[in-house]
Amino acid sequence: MQRAHGGYRPPPRRQPLEVYRRRRLTVVTALMVILGLILYATSGGASSSHKKASPPPTTAAPPPPPAHLEVGLAPWRLPSPLSHTVALAVNGDIDIFGGLTGTGQTTSAAIIQIDPSTGQAQNLANLPVAVHDAAGAAVGSKYYVFGGGAATPSAAAQSLNTQVTQGAPVSALAGQLPNPRADMGAATGPSGTAYLAGGYDGSQLTASVLATSDGSTFSSIGQLTVPVRYPAVAAVGSQLLVVGGDPATGPATDDIQAVDLKTGQSGVVGHLPVTLSHAAAATLDGSVYIFGGRSAGNVVDTVYKLVASSSGVSATAAGALPVPASDMAVAVLGQTAYLVGGEGQLAQPAASVVVARLTTGAGPAPAFDGKLLIADRANNRLLLVNADKRVLWSSPSLSLPGDAFFVKHGTEIIVTQGARQTVEAIAYPSGRLAGVYGHPNVPGSSPGYLDQPDDAYMLNDGEVTVADGKNCRILFLNPTLSYESAIGHAGRCQHDVPNSFANPNGDTPLADGNFLVSESVGSYVDEVTKSGRVVWSLKLPVAYPSDPQQIGPDLYLITDYSTPGQVLEFTREGQIT
């Protein structure tokens, strides 16, 4: 197996002699032209030496490249997982108000301040009323949290005053909404007025759009054409955009609604490409972006930019989140939006923070622009997809394929079928079976048999290594997929390397010719030579280590294949980095 390593640069390729001759001729010609111009200028030109030279023609500066959105994970995380919270930009920091925390979905009252440059966090104060699914906005020098849920929807308008002469910022009850309300969105308009739209009062959806210029008194400026909860809300120009959301009946909507902040008139002005709710919205450089959310029961990673035209408002793809997420809070600092916390497909709060930044530099390199081979285990197939998620090829029917890799310069695929007790070579693209080791559906330990194989790799010399899990050994097969040798002995399943392994499930080849073995029982990771000599061995604080990979001189990546699971980076000394 070949691996790419940084640091090597190929020597410069020699240019053909004809190229050098052409370049030399070009240089000589240019020097002659320059010399002629100098002589022409010093001799006074064609007629008069007193004639002023014309200034060189001016050319317009090239227009700056259009701004584009760069999206990635922040290098820091929240102090604890959080979703359905409120995030506001406060004096260059990010203040987070309430939300749901932990697997118990507990409603928080905490107000947490985070320095976005370092991720350093501190507790500022507590909300008088603990809420989640509230809306937040800045009004004047204060910051407000409106409504929200707990046991029942709340009507509280809560404030945080950062303009205090001594001590910590002060939170207080500032007023009451006309009715209890949760699951809504808020945005601050150009005049400094905060607007609230969407939501639920505990029994029905709320259509009224509220405005407040002091954070404590509210007036209705209009009604949504389609009442929704969990919309994405943003203000741009004199309009409030209410995007998607869950209506009273049926699935999420794809409506883009606009409310005229001067007249209160509202209507549906466009549609998203898909139905969407629980998404987040941010206004960057006058454009509205919609991040993530839930669509047709799935959490999505989409990022849309809303584009206005004479025919209405449309949504165009503007990137993707690092991972699918819904129910994130947004704080905007300059041209950067910080998407805080949120939930994935399992509806558990997350501690990650996504940074979406407008930039006019060179466009970001795509995260992936090649072809990806996927072992689609429960669908009993292999898939080859491109960066646009389009299926380029699929295999004939398999039996719960666990791992698959291209080999022999892309002409074959080696696939492990643990439940079928085989390692198979499949010709690409025909899908024809090119070789097999193991007896289908018959576990065993004699030569030619396997028992729960995992991670078959083909080495540079054509040999194949595979973790023979329940036989507690690492097997080496000849290029013809016949038995060659083994580290460990079948039936002796305990951590006693090199005599035996405790249910190995990973056998990654390393650049130095050694192998990185993970033992699922006992949680050990070992580097061993092909002869079985132990280079190092480490017990990790994980439940089910799987698929270790070396990513640095003393840095490794491993999956804890348990529930809820985790991915770790660690060193040989046992430090979790």
Side-chain angles (χ1 to χ4, degrees):
M1 183 180 67
Q2 296 178 335
R3 294 180 179 272
H5 295 280
Y8 172 75
R9 294 181 182 272
R13 188 171 59 184
R14 293 183 61 87
Q15 299 286 346
L17 183 59
E18 288 81 6
V19 174
Y20 284 118
R21 287 172 176 167
R22 287 196 297 270
R23 288 180 177 172
R24 185 171 60 184
L25 179 61
T26 302
V27 171
V28 171
T29 303
L31 289 174
M32 293 175 64
V33 170
I34 293 171
L35 179 59
L37 291 174
I38 294 174
L39 293 173
Y40 182 90
T42 54
S43 65
S47 55
S48 173
S49 62
H50 301 289
K51 191 173 183 180
K52 288 187 178 181
S54 301
T58 59
T59 57
H68 62 269
L69 197 67
E70 291 185 350
V71 183
L73 285 172
W76 47 267
R77 294 166 63 83
L78 301 177
S80 60
L82 203 60
S83 66
H84 296 264
T85 187
V86 170
L88 297 173
V90 179
N91 301 325
D93 292 320
I94 300 170
D95 285 8
I96 301 170
F97 303 80
L100 292 177
T101 180
T103 57
Q105 299 286 283
T106 303
T107 301
S108 171
I111 303 174
I112 303 169
Q113 184 180 79
I114 296 181
D115 180 347
S117 63
T118 63
Q120 183 175 355
Q122 61 174 325
N123 290 326
L124 287 184
N126 285 323
L127 291 168
V129 180
V131 289
H132 63 268
D133 282 326
V139 182
S141 61
K142 293 184 180 181
Y143 302 87
Y144 291 86
V145 174
F146 303 111
T152 59
S154 170
Q158 306 181 71
S159 67
L160 177 71
N161 184 7
T162 62
Q163 304 297 316
V164 291
T165 56
Q166 292 182 347
V170 176
S171 62
L173 279 171
Q176 295 284 318
L177 299 174
N179 302 101
R181 198 163 179 174
D183 312 338
M184 58 185 159
T188 302
S191 63
T193 299
Y195 298 91
L196 288 73
Y200 177 70
D201 67 6
S203 61
Q204 61 183 0
L205 300 184
T206 306
S208 63
V209 178
L210 300 180
T212 178
S213 58
D214 59 10
S216 58
T217 58
F218 303 86
S219 61
S220 177
I221 66 164
Q223 303 281 316
L224 290 180
T225 303
V226 182
V228 288
R229 63 195 298 193
Y230 298 116
V233 176
V236 57
S238 61
Q239 286 190 324
L240 187 73
L241 296 180
V242 181
V243 181
D246 290 331
T249 59
T253 180
D254 61 5
D255 291 336
I256 302 173
Q257 302 185 68
V259 181
D260 190 309
L261 298 179
K262 296 179 180 178
T263 66
Q265 292 182 340
S266 66
V268 176
V269 295
H271 296 276
L272 297 167
V274 296
T275 60
L276 192 66
S277 63
H278 297 261
T283 302
L284 300 173
D285 195 27
S287 295
V288 175
Y289 294 85
I290 307 297
F291 301 92
R294 293 181 176 269
S295 179
N298 295 312
V299 179
V300 297
D301 63 358
T302 51
V303 179
Y304 295 113
K305 179 181 180 181
L306 301 187
V307 179
S309 67
S310 58
S311 59
V313 177
S314 60
T316 61
L321 299 175
V323 293
S326 69
D327 301 292
M328 299 173 289
V330 184
V332 176
L333 289 167
Q335 300 305 322
T336 302
Y338 292 86
L339 309 170
V340 175
E343 294 179 354
Q345 191 64 33
L346 298 180
Q348 298 294 341
S352 56
V353 176
V354 173
V355 181
R357 178 182 295 110
L358 275 183
T359 176
T360 56
F368 173 72
D369 60 1
K371 299 174 182 178
L372 181 68
L373 182 65
I374 300 172
D376 189 10
R377 187 174 186 271
N379 284 321
N380 298 310
R381 63 183 181 177
L382 304 179
L383 294 178
L384 186 67
V385 302
N386 62 11
D388 295 325
K389 306 178 185 178
R390 184 167 63 89
V391 175
L392 306 176
W393 175 86
S394 62
S395 71
S397 178
L398 298 172
S399 177
L400 299 174
D403 303 276
F405 302 96
F406 275 109
V407 296
K408 296 184 180 179
H409 305 286
T411 61
E412 288 185 9
I413 296 169
I414 190 162
V415 57
T416 309
Q417 299 184 90
R420 184 174 163 82
Q421 315 298 349
T422 60
V423 171
E424 299 180 1
I426 298 174
Y428 175 82
S430 70
R432 177 182 55 85
L433 182 64
V436 62
Y437 183 88
H439 291 254
N441 303 313
V442 181
S445 58
S446 302
Y449 287 83
L450 295 165
D451 195 348
Q452 196 173 301
D454 207 350
D455 283 1
Y457 292 97
M458 183 172 285
L459 309 179
N460 287 336
D461 59 4
E463 291 181 322
V464 173
T465 176
V466 59
D468 192 10
K470 287 189 176 180
N471 285 325
C472 301
R473 62 188 179 181
I474 305 299
L475 285 185
F476 295 95
L477 310 179
N478 292 308
T480 57
L481 294 186
S482 59
Y483 178 86
E484 178 190 304
S485 62
I487 307 173
H489 301 283
R492 193 160 183 247
C493 294
Q494 62 187 37
H495 173 67
D496 185 21
V497 185
N499 299 311
S500 67
F501 298 91
N503 292 76
N505 64 353
D507 57 318
T508 311
L510 300 177
D512 59 5
N514 296 339
F515 299 88
L516 203 58
V517 178
S518 55
E519 300 178 67
S520 61
V521 176
S523 302
Y524 281 90
V525 176
D526 323 291
E527 182 178 340
V528 298
T529 66
K530 186 178 179 181
S531 64
R533 181 176 63 85
V534 179
V535 179
W536 58 269
S537 182
L538 173 67
K539 184 178 177 66
L540 284 173
V542 299
Y544 196 111
S546 183
D547 294 331
Q549 305 287 328
Q550 185 170 13
I551 57 175
D554 186 13
L555 190 62
Y556 302 84
L557 186 73
I558 198 165
T559 299
D560 182 4
Y561 189 61
S562 59
T563 301
Q566 57 184 328
V567 178
L568 303 174
E569 289 182 355
F570 66 96
T571 67
R572 286 189 291 272
E573 296 72 32
Q575 179 186 1
I576 306 299
T577 60

